[in-house]
Amino acid sequence: MTNPYHPPAKRSVEIAGHKTSISLEPMFWDMLREAAAAEGMPINALVARIDAERIRVEVAPGLAGAIRLWLVARLRSQLADGVGAS
């Protein structure tokens, strides 16, 4: 498991043809990679989907925050559904 207290790592992603940098802790990068694989899409496509969802809300968080929130919401949904429960 990735050290949960590791500082953020900046990576470039492309959204709608535009490159942007996102800083996330390695644990969130790992979770994002796993989510993209589970959804059968590249990380860029998943980030673009999260970005599209976040800009539709009344008070949109920053993209990095939206990704973290999306990942936590996904995890909570999986736990509620009993997915990944030991």
Side-chain angles (χ1 to χ4, degrees), residues 31 69-83:
M31 292 172 69
L69 291 167
W70 187 90
L71 290 167
V72 170
R74 179 178 184 271
L75 180 59
R76 288 181 73 181
S77 177
Q78 289 175 334
L79 291 172
D81 293 342
V83 176

Side-chain angles (χ1 to χ4, degrees), residues 14-79:
E14 190 172 316
I15 303 171
H18 300 285
K19 287 194 176 199
T20 188
S21 293
I22 301 171
S23 291
L24 294 172
E25 294 75 10
M27 181 184 301
F28 286 107
W29 282 117
D30 292 345
M31 292 172 69
L32 186 61
R33 255 190 304 282
E34 292 166 9
E39 303 260 340
M41 62 177 53
I43 289 176
N44 287 347
L46 181 55
V47 170
R49 190 173 89 194
I50 294 168
D51 186 48
E53 291 175 10
R54 86 172 173 102
I55 61 176
R56 286 194 299 259
V57 301
E58 188 173 327
V59 180
L63 182 55
I67 292 169
R68 288 183 190 96
L69 291 167
W70 187 90
L71 290 167
V72 170
R74 179 178 184 271
L75 180 59
R76 288 181 73 181
S77 177
Q78 289 175 334
L79 291 172

